[in-house]
Amino acid sequence: MRTYSEQLRVPAAWWVLGMFSAVIFASTAWAGFSLIVAIGSYVVFCGGCAAVLLNWGRATIEVCDGELRAGSATLPLAQAGRVAALDEAQAREVRGPRADPAAYMLIRPFLKLAVYIEITGEHQDRPYWLIGTRRPEELAAAIERSRPQARTGGTPVG
């Protein structure tokens, strides 16, 4: 049973500004050349911008069946320790100066809020997960609700 789902789509403003910038770069690259160069430059710059923005927006976050799926990684919630919804300043600290290079991070430049998940257990290869989200309180609550299910193998208690 899925208790939380979010797709990390790129905001419309990023699309508008990105495509506007790509058109400016393509026009600059084309200046004075033939029509073939013009078409090629617009395809390369606008297509490249669209590919990057689409790739950033593909990531999803799901909490279901005692697992957290963030992007291509999966965390069994039985290994989750402390879970905290972070505000903008806290997320910036954990992403930047206090970041651990071994941590798993699914962050995007347009997501200012995040959820911190401490990893417990003997076979941990990551000390924590940092997941960028638009709804950190809901994600943290969904992880907390699904955690008993992960530890007991049954339905959530409560």
Side-chain angles (χ1 to χ4, degrees), residues 126-140:
R126 309 267 187 207
Y128 63 88
W129 279 29
L130 184 68
I131 309 298
T133 178
R134 290 183 175 91
R135 304 182 323 249
E137 290 82 15
E138 289 179 43
L139 176 56

Side-chain angles (χ1 to χ4, degrees), residues 62-82:
E62 289 184 343
V63 177
C64 66
D65 300 327
E67 290 183 333
L68 168 64
R69 291 186 199 105
S72 61
T74 302
L75 173 68
L77 291 177
Q79 295 179 354
R82 185 174 65 91

Side-chain angles (χ1 to χ4, degrees), residues 13-149:
W14 280 57
W15 277 95
V16 170
L17 292 174
M19 286 304 185
F20 183 70
S21 298
V23 167
I24 289 173
F25 284 131
S27 299
T28 303
W30 162 45
F33 290 106
S34 68
L35 185 60
I36 300 293
V37 174
I39 293 170
S41 64
Y42 284 105
V43 167
V44 167
F45 282 99
C46 294
C49 178
V52 167
L53 293 175
L54 284 171
N55 191 37
W56 271 353
R58 277 187 12 196
T60 59
I61 302 168
E62 289 184 343
V63 177
C64 66
D65 300 327
E67 290 183 333
L68 168 64
R69 291 186 199 105
S72 61
T74 302
L75 173 68
L77 291 177
Q79 295 179 354
R82 185 174 65 91
V83 177
L86 305 178
D87 63 20
E88 188 174 338
Q90 293 168 324
R92 187 179 329 108
E93 278 292 313
V94 177
R95 272 193 316 260
R98 291 186 33 225
D100 186 333
Y104 176 75
M105 295 190 192
L106 179 66
I107 54 176
R108 297 292 186 258
F110 50 85
L111 296 172
K112 304 297 182 200
L113 307 175
V115 171
Y116 172 90
I117 303 126
E118 178 186 38
I119 307 300
T120 60
E122 296 175 13
H123 301 292
Q124 65 181 22
D125 56 339
R126 309 267 187 207
Y128 63 88
W129 279 29
L130 184 68
I131 309 298
T133 178
R134 290 183 175 91
R135 304 182 323 249
E137 290 82 15
E138 289 179 43
L139 176 56
I143 291 169
E144 291 292 346
R145 279 193 311 270
S146 295
R147 219 190 329 210
Q149 177 183 359

